Structures are given as structure tokens and as C-alpha cells.
Amino acid sequence: MTYDIMLVRVQPGLTLHETLGRLNADFDPDADLPELRLTEADWAEWHRILGRVTRDIGSVESEEYLYSLTLETVGPPGRVQLEYCGNTATIEVAYRYSGPAALEVMKLAYRIARIVEDESSLTGHDFEVGQPTRTGDPVKAAARLSGVSDWAQHHLS
């Protein structure tokens, strides 16, 4: 289980929530995931995102999978993974950070979300705490991450 931040290409004339509603309505949990079919514009976005994250944050590992492109931060403050699918992207942070470590990793996650927003037409939202990533507060996200991490460590270990 991970703390997830969603980024979506909002459809013209719709809000973020309406776009997500349409995407969710079309989702079939029993169907195979569709293979990744990116347009030239999607590839250009991905390369801008990858380049900027590398320049602004540091080394990342990047992989191309059948269903998505990913990048993962390397080194401190912790692991943050971005999964890019063209019209959507997800940032994932494992529930293993608490206290000051949670704040540092969530600052990193929000920084990556803002880079994705800057370099693409995707809009980010952190549904865990109900705030947009563009203007949201990583401190609020870190408190949630830390609280769930602490609970999981005490109840699931």
C-alpha cells in the first residue's frame, strides 16, 4: 500500500473530479491493463519531466514497462516513484516514513508533482488530504503519511 498522488489530463469543459469520474466509469477491474501507447507529445512531455527531475532533484532510475513509464528517486530523503501513462500519472510513496523523514519525502513528492504539472498538461491532486499539489502544503501530506506509517508499524508489524 502506498500514499498516492494523482495527476490527470483534465478533459476540456470538465473539472478534475468530472474527468476522474469518467475515467473511473470506464475502468474494468477484470480487464487487462491497456498497453502503453504514447503520442509524440506524450513522449516529449515524458522526456521534459525526466530531464527536469534529474536536473532539479538528482539521479533517478527510469524504466519503460508495458503499461507505463516510471522514474524513481535514488538516495535521500527516500524513495518516490512516478508512474506516467500519458493522460494520467501517479506518484507513490511507501508508508514507511514518519516524523521528519515523512516531511522530507513529501516535500520531494510535491516537488516532483509540480515539475510534472509544469512540464505537461497534467493537473495534480492529493486525495489523501484533499488538496491540489500546485498549491497544497507538503506538511499536511507529511502528517498523514507519518500517521498512517506509525499506525501500520504498530498494528501490522
Side-chain angles (χ1 to χ4, degrees), residues 10-157:
V10 176
Q11 296 172 4
L14 299 179
T15 66
L16 171 71
H17 292 284
E18 291 167 339
T19 298
L20 285 171
R22 288 199 179 171
L23 289 171
N24 289 334
D26 294 337
F27 180 72
D28 180 356
D30 296 322
D32 291 335
L33 290 173
E35 288 186 27
L36 185 65
R37 291 191 188 351
L38 297 179
T39 65
E40 286 185 35
D42 294 334
W43 279 108
E45 277 183 3
W46 173 250
H47 290 295
R48 286 193 309 272
I49 292 165
L50 186 57
R52 181 138 169 235
V53 169
T54 301
R55 269 190 325 275
D56 292 1
I57 293 173
S59 294
V60 296
E61 294 177 353
S62 176
E63 295 288 334
E64 183 177 333
Y65 295 102
L66 191 56
Y67 308 108
S68 67
L69 303 172
T70 64
L71 72 77
E72 185 174 316
T73 58
V74 176
R79 180 190 161 278
V80 175
Q81 180 176 314
L82 169 67
E83 183 175 306
Y84 177 84
C85 300
N87 287 327
T88 62
T90 306
I91 294 173
E92 299 174 351
V93 179
Y95 282 112
R96 66 172 154 221
Y97 303 97
S98 61
L103 179 56
E104 292 308 309
V105 79
M106 290 312 293
K107 284 180 183 177
L108 178 61
Y110 269 62
R111 199 163 159 208
I112 292 170
R114 290 169 181 152
I115 289 171
V116 173
E117 289 180 310
D118 288 348
E119 300 299 335
S120 72
S121 58
L122 299 178
T123 299
H125 197 83
D126 182 343
F127 288 97
E128 291 270 350
V129 292
Q131 64 185 8
T133 56
R134 170 74 54 202
T135 58
D137 184 2
V139 172
K140 187 175 179 182
R144 170 77 176 161
L145 176 67
S146 185
V148 173
S149 297
D150 289 344
W151 180 90
Q153 186 175 40
H154 288 94
H155 292 89
L156 302 176
S157 295

